[in-house]
Amino acid sequence: MVVALAGLLVVFASPPAVPRVELTWQAPATCPDAGAVHERLRALAPEPPAGPVVRAEADVARRGAGAGWRLRLALRGPGLDDRRVIEARDCRSLADVTALLIALAIAPEEVAARVVPAAAPPGDPDASVRSGAPPYGVPGPPATATDASMRESEPPGLVPEPSLDASMGANAPTPGAPPPPAGRSSPATGVVVVPPVDDAALDPPEPRESELAPDPVAPPRARAPVRAAVRLGVGGSVGAIPAWSPAGGLAIGIFRGAWRVELAGTYAARALTYPEPAGVGGRMLVAAGALRGCGVPRWRQLEFPICVGVELGYVRAVARGVTDPQPAGDLWIAAQLSPGLAWVPRRFLAVTLGVDVLVGLRRPGFHVTSLGELARAERIGLRPMVGLEVRFP
C-alpha cells in the first residue's frame, strides 16, 4: 500500500521533465517550484539535441533577513562537473539562472541562437565590420578634409597622419582679427575659447527633501509552511523484552523549518524459555507509543534529526509448556533519545535511519509459578530502525 501511494505521489507531484535533464530542486515554498524551472528550460531549449543525461542539483536558501538568496548548483554528466554558488535579491532570478545554465549544458548552440540575437543592435550586426565602420555604440573619429581626399586613393582603413607644420600654418590666426566669441570654435584655428567659470558653479546643488528617497525596507521573511509526514519502519529491539526481537513501527509527524513533533508506535514479539526444565517459558510481546520533539539540522539533501521523548507501552506474556497457561501483563515506561539520519531525494519522499536509546523508568518482570523469574525489562535498551517516509503537501 505504501509503495502504491509513493508511486501515485511520484506521478502526480513530479513536473513534466525536459528530455536529457534530471532536476533535483530544493527551495522554500515562496520560491518557484521545479515545474517553473522546467517551463523556463523548455522555453530556452524546446528540442534539445540527442546526447547524455545531465543531472542538476539545485539548493536555494536565504542568506539572512533582507540579505537575498543563495543558489548552490551542481551539473553532472559524462565529461561535465560544474559547481556554482550564485546570489541574488530574489529567488525567481535564481530559478531563471538555473534554467539558463542547464539549457547551455544540453543545447548550447540553440540557446545562443535564441539569447544572443535579442541582445544585438538592430540591423545586420556584421555590416559595420564589412564596411570598416566602428561597432555599434562606439563613436568613430571625426572626419577631416584629409580623410575625404584620401578616401579614393588609400586602401580602406589606412589614413595618413597630417603634417604638423602644414596644419599649424593653415590654422595660424590672422593678425588683427578679432578673437572668437567665448564658447565657440575659431574657424581658423579650431581652438575653443572657454569663458571663466565660477567655482561655486562646480559645486552640485543640494538635493531637496522631496528628492531624498527613504531607505528600502527589507520585506518580511516568509515562514515555511507546516507539513505532515507518515513513516513505516522495520528493525529490531531490546528493552521491554530483554532479548533482541524483530520490531515494526509507524510514525506520524508534523514539521516546519528546523523543528518536528512525532507520535510513534512500535510492536515487538519474542519467545523466551527457561534453561531447565526444557520447553517451559513464555511468549512475550510489547506494544508501545511515544511522543517526542525533534530538532532537524539540514545540509543539502540530508537531515540529522535529534529527538527526545517519553515512551509508554504494555508488555504481555503467556506461559508455554505448562498445563494451565495464564496470560499476564504490565506497564512499561521509558525515556527516549533518538538520533537519526534522513536522505530526501524528493520533496515528498525520504529514506530514514534511526536509533532509539531507551532508558527504562518502569521495568516489568514475569515468571512461571513455582519457577524463578523468566524475564525483566532492561534498564537501557536500543531500537535501530530503517524506514520510508512520505511527506505532504
Side-chain angles (χ1 to χ4, degrees):
M1 176 179 179
V2 175
V3 174
L5 176 59
L8 287 176
L9 288 173
V10 169
V11 170
F12 289 106
S14 299
V18 175
R20 295 182 51 204
V21 176
E22 292 183 3
L23 174 62
T24 300
W25 177 258
Q26 296 278 342
T30 55
C31 296
D33 57 7
V37 179
H38 278 295
E39 183 178 354
R40 177 61 176 153
L41 182 54
R42 284 191 296 271
L44 293 171
E47 298 180 358
V53 174
V54 173
R55 294 176 176 83
E57 298 179 3
D59 185 5
V60 179
R62 272 194 176 276
R63 296 174 53 199
W69 300 79
R70 177 181 287 116
L71 166 67
R72 298 181 183 276
L73 178 63
L75 301 178
R76 297 184 180 90
L80 173 64
D81 188 6
D82 187 8
R83 301 170 184 266
R84 300 169 183 260
V85 177
I86 305 171
E87 297 177 349
R89 287 190 174 274
D90 61 276
C91 56
R92 186 175 300 277
S93 300
L94 295 179
D96 293 340
V97 170
T98 301
L100 177 60
L101 292 176
I102 298 174
L104 288 172
I106 62 174
E109 296 181 357
E110 182 178 352
V111 174
R114 290 175 176 273
V115 176
V116 173
D124 185 0
D126 297 330
S128 61
V129 177
R130 290 195 298 268
S131 63
Y136 176 81
V138 179
T144 63
T146 307
D147 295 335
S149 62
M150 296 299 295
R151 197 166 291 157
E152 296 181 358
S153 59
E154 292 292 335
L158 298 179
V159 179
E161 298 183 359
S163 172
L164 179 61
D165 296 337
S167 62
M168 291 297 293
N171 296 331
T174 303
R184 295 187 179 181
S185 175
S186 170
T189 63
V191 178
V192 177
V193 180
V194 179
V197 179
D198 188 5
D199 292 340
L202 298 178
D203 297 332
E206 292 293 334
R208 293 175 295 181
E209 293 186 1
S210 59
E211 298 176 353
L212 297 176
D215 295 336
V217 179
R221 184 174 182 178
R223 301 183 64 183
V226 177
R227 304 182 65 201
V230 177
R231 181 175 68 251
L232 285 176
V234 294
S237 175
V238 58
I241 301 176
W244 280 106
S245 311
L250 171 67
I252 301 174
I254 58 174
F255 62 96
R256 179 171 68 180
W259 63 263
R260 182 184 185 110
V261 177
E262 285 188 350
L263 181 62
T266 56
Y267 178 86
R270 172 72 185 266
L272 301 176
T273 59
Y274 286 100
E276 291 292 339
V280 178
R283 178 171 179 78
M284 300 182 65
L285 58 89
V286 57
L291 178 64
R292 54 197 180 195
C294 312
V296 188
R298 289 181 173 84
W299 181 73
R300 296 189 177 180
Q301 293 182 318
L302 297 179
E303 297 178 353
F304 307 91
I306 301 176
C307 305
V308 177
V310 177
E311 179 173 296
L312 180 65
Y314 182 77
V315 183
R316 186 174 184 270
V318 180
R320 303 177 66 180
V322 297
T323 57
D324 186 19
Q326 295 294 327
D330 203 349
L331 189 64
W332 151 260
I333 303 176
Q336 277 192 3
L337 175 64
S338 306
L341 172 66
W343 175 50
V344 189
R346 295 290 185 270
R347 187 173 185 270
F348 56 86
L349 186 66
V351 179
T352 64
L353 175 64
V355 178
D356 297 338
V357 181
L358 308 172
V359 179
L361 303 178
R362 191 177 192 283
R363 302 164 50 228
F366 301 91
H367 70 280
V368 177
T369 304
S370 73
L371 297 177
E373 188 175 75
L374 174 64
R376 180 169 294 276
E378 300 285 354
R379 293 184 182 274
I380 303 296
L382 292 176
R383 186 187 297 125
M385 300 192 78
V386 60
L388 183 66
E389 182 174 278
V390 178
R391 301 178 175 183
F392 53 91

